[in-house]
Amino acid sequence: MFRVNIINAINNLYTFGSKVSSDTPIAHNLIQAQGEPLEKTIKKIFLDHIPDTLKNKNKHYFSYQGSANNPPDLKLKGGDIVEIKKIQSHTTPSISLNSSWPRDKMNKDDPKINQQCRDCEKWIEADLFYAIGVVPKDHKETFSLFFLHGECMNAPTKFYEKFYKNLQTDIAKLSYNFHLETKELGRLNKIDPLGNTHLRIRGMFGMPNPFRHFNFCKVDQTKKLNVFCLMTKEKYNSFKNEDRDLIEQNKGISKDLKKIKSPVDIRKYIECFYIHFAK
């Protein structure tokens, strides 16, 4: 039985490499259409070590494959959740999360996910990785990819959820006619003298770009492919020995123990494994 996880994906990238699909997707939203090829690439990376003779690989190893308007983009069957983000440069200041707040993990009762994701398998909570791909405008090749464990960057998910709800409460205190039946931060009705106009208030979250945030992350501009992964030591040790051996016995893949500032307490540090290579 083949296993599908972050460790295997990194090894697949080193062994096989991968390119963004040249397919032209059909979508009503241009931003979604531009993002779809990278999503296809990420899915392919997870499955590259599995023989093509196995039919329906995607359905067999992915319990959920995303939707246009709800997170996440991917759930590995019995395993982690993956949120896929595309940027055009390593120097992009931040990663846009839009109306979806940052997360360290993802829970089944998360109000932002849809029912299909909740019912995709028996699960309560899953570790979350952001797969951040750098896809420059001038070519279709994924120049760099960063797998970022949510716990290395974000505070507990409930912190952001509570902040969001408190902000909704504050907006509701405004003198305008506040409309509570909305998935956004709020909606103010009848804001002009005749009551014809309303205002939708949206929350647009963002988090630091890990290519810039972590000073030990160095991109080799002479190589076509740069791959990075940062996860907590605890998460790394949770993988089976056979999986970790793929990294530890491969001389082309570097693995370093790093200490980074805790997302919860600035006075503390957490130990993380930093995995990287360039080809």
Side-chain angles (χ1 to χ4, degrees):
M1 180 67 178
F2 295 95
R3 288 187 297 276
V4 172
N5 54 46
I6 293 294
I7 299 294
N8 275 285
I10 295 169
N11 187 66
N12 288 343
L13 273 166
Y14 185 86
T15 305
F16 305 107
S18 197
K19 292 184 178 181
V20 175
S21 168
S22 60
D23 297 342
T24 303
I26 299 173
H28 297 296
N29 186 305
L30 180 61
I31 296 175
Q32 292 169 354
Q34 290 175 339
E36 189 174 352
L38 179 61
E39 291 181 8
K40 289 182 178 179
T41 299
I42 299 298
K43 291 176 182 178
K44 179 180 181 297
I45 288 168
F46 277 103
L47 303 178
D48 270 343
H49 64 298
I50 299 172
D52 290 334
T53 53
L54 181 63
K55 295 181 179 179
N56 298 321
K57 288 195 293 185
N58 281 36
K59 290 183 179 180
H60 191 78
Y61 289 99
F62 303 147
S63 60
Y64 179 74
Q65 298 187 57
S67 70
N69 300 311
N70 299 85
D73 293 307
L74 190 65
K75 185 174 189 317
L76 310 182
K77 187 169 289 187
D80 300 329
I81 275 176
V82 182
E83 269 283 270
I84 301 168
K85 298 295 177 183
K86 184 180 75 169
I87 55 178
Q88 293 181 352
S89 169
H90 303 98
T91 59
T92 299
S94 62
I95 307 299
S96 297
L97 304 179
N98 300 322
S99 60
S100 181
W101 48 69
R103 293 169 174 83
D104 64 333
K105 297 175 181 287
M106 184 164 280
N107 293 279
K108 184 177 181 178
D109 60 355
D110 191 307
K112 293 290 184 178
I113 69 175
N114 62 27
Q115 196 62 41
Q116 183 184 357
C117 182
R118 293 189 180 96
D119 298 338
C120 67
E121 61 175 290
K122 291 183 179 180
W123 70 288
I124 298 175
E125 183 179 76
D127 286 331
L128 170 67
F129 278 87
Y130 291 93
I132 303 164
V134 179
V135 185
K137 276 186 175 181
D138 56 353
H139 60 79
K140 293 183 178 181
E141 191 171 352
T142 303
F143 182 68
S144 297
L145 184 63
F146 203 127
F147 289 111
L148 177 64
H149 186 199
E151 290 187 45
C152 295
M153 179 71 78
N154 301 325
T157 305
K158 289 192 178 297
F159 172 88
Y160 305 101
E161 188 175 346
K162 182 179 179 181
F163 172 85
Y164 190 88
K165 290 180 178 178
N166 286 344
L167 190 54
Q168 281 185 316
T169 301
D170 291 339
I171 294 173
K173 295 177 182 178
L174 296 172
S175 58
Y176 299 100
N177 183 13
F178 182 74
H179 182 67
L180 286 172
E181 298 299 325
T182 177
K183 293 182 179 180
E184 299 175 334
L185 268 176
R187 170 172 163 159
L188 305 179
N189 293 327
K190 302 178 181 179
I191 64 173
D192 58 4
L194 295 181
N196 295 328
T197 308
H198 68 268
L199 173 66
R200 295 170 58 194
I201 306 172
R202 298 187 65 190
M204 303 295 285
F205 289 92
M207 71 179 193
N209 178 356
F211 289 99
R212 294 184 51 173
H213 185 74
F214 299 108
N215 57 15
F216 50 78
C217 177
K218 305 296 183 183
V219 175
D220 187 344
Q221 299 285 355
T222 67
K223 305 295 185 181
K224 289 186 176 181
L225 180 64
N226 283 258
V227 176
F228 307 89
C229 178
L230 188 68
M231 69 178 80
T232 64
K233 182 179 179 180
E234 181 181 7
K235 177 61 178 176
Y236 180 78
N237 288 334
S238 72
F239 290 103
K240 293 182 179 295
N241 291 336
E242 306 95 282
D243 294 325
R244 299 203 304 270
D245 284 346
L246 294 172
I247 302 297
E248 294 170 4
Q249 296 179 7
N250 190 327
K251 295 181 179 179
I253 301 177
S254 299
K255 180 176 70 70
D256 306 303
L257 190 62
K258 299 287 185 180
K259 286 188 176 181
I260 65 171
K261 287 184 178 179
S262 167
V264 180
D265 189 342
I266 196 172
R267 298 166 297 179
K268 296 182 179 180
Y269 288 80
I270 58 175
E271 288 189 312
C272 298
F273 275 112
Y274 174 52
I275 305 166
H276 58 102
F277 71 85
K279 288 186 71 175

